[in-house]
């Protein structure tokens, strides 16, 4: 389930990237047992790439499917943070990855394979 009502910018970005084929052929580039599995880096189309995990989508525009507003991906395909929903990083949830710096999420996501509440907002 994608929470378009709770995180409209993040969900709209993900849906746009899916609809445009951005994720086609991308491999999981970071798998940590009992923690998480991460994907979404375009460099990971080559599963042996040393750059896997360092990339994002191209800069550009996409439509916020909740508000209808035009949103932007800038500075390496990053979107603005969206801390409106206080959903926890529980096992089985999907979360936007970032560098730890504000506004650095773009295309990389991770699936929590354990309860990772220490990663919450």
């Amino acid at each position: 389930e994608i929470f378009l009502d709770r995180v409209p910018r993040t969900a709209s970005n993900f849906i746009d990237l899916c609809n445009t084929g951005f994720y086609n052929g991308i491999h999981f580039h970071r798998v940590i047992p009992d923690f998480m599995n991460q994907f979404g880096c375009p460099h990971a189309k080559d599963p042996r790439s040393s750059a896997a995990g360092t990339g994002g989508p191209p800069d550009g525009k996409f439509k916020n499917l909740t508000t209808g507003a035009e949103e932007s991906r800038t500075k390496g395909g990053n979107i603005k943070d969206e801390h409106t929903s206080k959903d926890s990083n529980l096992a089985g949830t999907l979360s936007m990855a970032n560098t730890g710096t504000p506004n650095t999420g773009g295309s990389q996501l991770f699936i929590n394979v354990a309860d990772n509440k220490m990663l919450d907002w």
Side-chain angles (χ1 to χ4, degrees):
E1 181 176 357
I2 297 174
F3 298 125
L4 192 58
D5 59 327
R6 295 189 205 165
V7 285
R9 178 182 303 118
T10 305
S12 296
N13 176 61
F14 177 67
I15 291 167
D16 180 70
L17 292 172
C18 289
N19 287 341
T20 60
F22 176 83
Y23 292 110
N24 293 353
I26 293 178
H27 298 266
F28 282 87
H29 64 269
R30 186 176 182 202
V31 176
I32 303 172
D34 301 317
F35 181 46
M36 60 81 148
N37 300 327
Q38 189 167 332
F39 69 98
C41 174
H43 302 303
K45 287 186 177 186
D46 173 0
R48 294 187 177 101
S49 173
S50 61
T54 65
D59 289 353
K61 307 282 184 187
F62 62 97
K63 182 178 180 180
N64 185 313
L65 299 174
T66 299
T67 67
E70 184 176 79
E71 300 278 359
S72 296
R73 289 186 204 100
T74 61
K75 300 178 184 173
N78 298 318
I79 63 171
K80 292 180 183 175
D81 286 343
E82 187 169 46
H83 298 293
T84 56
S85 182
K86 299 297 183 189
D87 296 300
S88 189
N89 285 281
L90 301 175
T93 59
L94 180 68
S95 295
M96 174 69 73
N98 62 51
T99 67
T101 302
N103 304 313
T104 57
S107 61
Q108 294 193 38
L109 300 130
F110 59 93
I111 300 168
N112 290 289
V113 296
D115 288 347
N116 293 316
K117 292 181 182 181
M118 71 284 203
L119 299 176
D120 289 355
W121 3 273

